[in-house]
Amino acid sequence: MAQTRKKVRIRFVEREWVKGLLKHSVAIVSLIAAIVGLSYNSWQANQNEINQNMRIAAFEVLKNLGELQTVVNYAHFTKDESRGNPIEGWKHVTMVRDLSHLLKPSAKQQSQLLYDVWQQDWEQLAANPTIEQQISQQITKTREAVLSTIDASE
């Protein structure tokens, strides 16, 4: 009889333990769900911010590439020293290179190549048609890489 009471008592304790565990398991599952949801929400907000920064930087780079191309065109084709001032081109090519660090690696690489081409040849821009073509081609390649970054972030 003592054995039976002990078994009944153990079963009662086990049932109470299981009931308590079920009560707490709901709270634990709710806590885990809240933590997972909060973590995902934070990650998503971070990704959105990265994409937004990348898009803003890409549009600024495109704007500066257009202005650089204008400087190149005025310097080479019309020999206009005020609008085609290569010193003004330095501002744009440096801005393009610096902002490209926020973009994809291909855009960053093309921007660095543009900077290198500009650095080597800017002094001969007005006199040498080959230099104008090299710089213009690199501007186009950089623009394509930046547009690819914009397309990828959509």
Side-chain angles (χ1 to χ4, degrees):
M1 185 132 159
Q3 288 280 2
T4 316
R5 283 186 184 174
K6 194 173 184 181
K7 286 182 182 180
V8 170
R9 192 170 188 204
I10 290 174
R11 287 182 187 160
F12 178 74
V13 170
E14 287 176 357
R15 285 182 190 156
E16 290 301 315
W17 183 78
V18 169
K19 286 180 185 178
L21 182 63
L22 286 175
K23 284 182 184 178
H24 295 300
S25 67
V26 170
I28 290 171
V29 168
S30 297
L31 179 62
I32 290 171
I35 290 172
V36 168
L38 182 62
S39 298
Y40 176 77
N41 191 26
S42 297
W43 174 81
Q44 186 66 40
N46 186 41
Q47 289 301 312
N48 287 341
E49 185 175 348
I50 289 170
N51 285 341
Q52 183 178 8
N53 290 343
M54 190 181 298
R55 288 177 64 84
I56 291 169
F59 290 131
E60 250 338 279
V61 168
L62 288 173
K63 178 181 166 187
N64 278 281
L65 286 170
E67 292 173 5
L68 178 62
Q69 186 66 59
T70 301
V71 169
V72 169
N73 291 345
Y74 275 112
H76 180 72
F77 294 112
T78 64
K79 312 290 190 237
D80 185 337
E81 292 181 13
S82 64
R83 291 185 183 172
N85 186 347
I87 300 301
E88 187 71 18
W90 272 110
K91 174 179 79 173
H92 300 297
V93 79
T94 302
M95 182 67 81
V96 166
R97 184 194 61 181
D98 293 347
L99 285 174
S100 70
H101 287 274
L102 296 171
L103 305 177
K104 298 221 177 220
S106 61
K108 181 180 175 183
Q109 180 185 19
Q110 292 299 327
S111 296
Q112 184 60 49
L113 290 172
L114 174 62
Y115 184 87
D116 294 343
V117 167
W118 183 265
Q119 187 176 28
Q120 291 171 5
D121 300 328
W122 69 273
E123 295 173 307
Q124 301 168 12
L125 177 62
N128 190 339
T130 306
I131 299 299
E132 180 275 327
Q133 289 173 358
Q134 288 175 345
I135 292 173
S136 292
Q137 286 173 355
Q138 191 57 48
I139 289 172
T140 301
K141 289 178 185 176
T142 305
R143 180 178 285 121
E144 289 169 356
V146 172
L147 289 171
S148 172
T149 297
I150 293 172
D151 289 342
S153 69
E154 290 180 349

